[in-house]
Amino acid sequence: MDAAYLAGDGPATFDALAGAYLLAASEIARLDPEIDAEPGTFVTPAP
């Protein structure tokens, strides 16, 4: 886990978390091809 938030850089920590999630989700999907694909993003839609 990235600790940049401790220095006030929350977005860097969030980007690191999103990258880690994408790596884990991709590996799970590779190991179990029957799993439903989920988007590897935390982007919130614009209003």
Side-chain angles (χ1 to χ4, degrees):
M1 182 73 170
D2 181 82
Y5 70 94
L6 294 173
D9 193 357
T13 297
F14 193 72
D15 287 343
L17 181 59
Y21 170 82
L22 181 58
L23 286 174
S26 297
E27 184 66 6
I28 291 168
R30 185 186 71 79
L31 293 172
D32 185 357
E34 294 183 14
I35 195 165
D36 290 336
E38 295 294 332
T41 180
F42 292 104
V43 175
T44 48

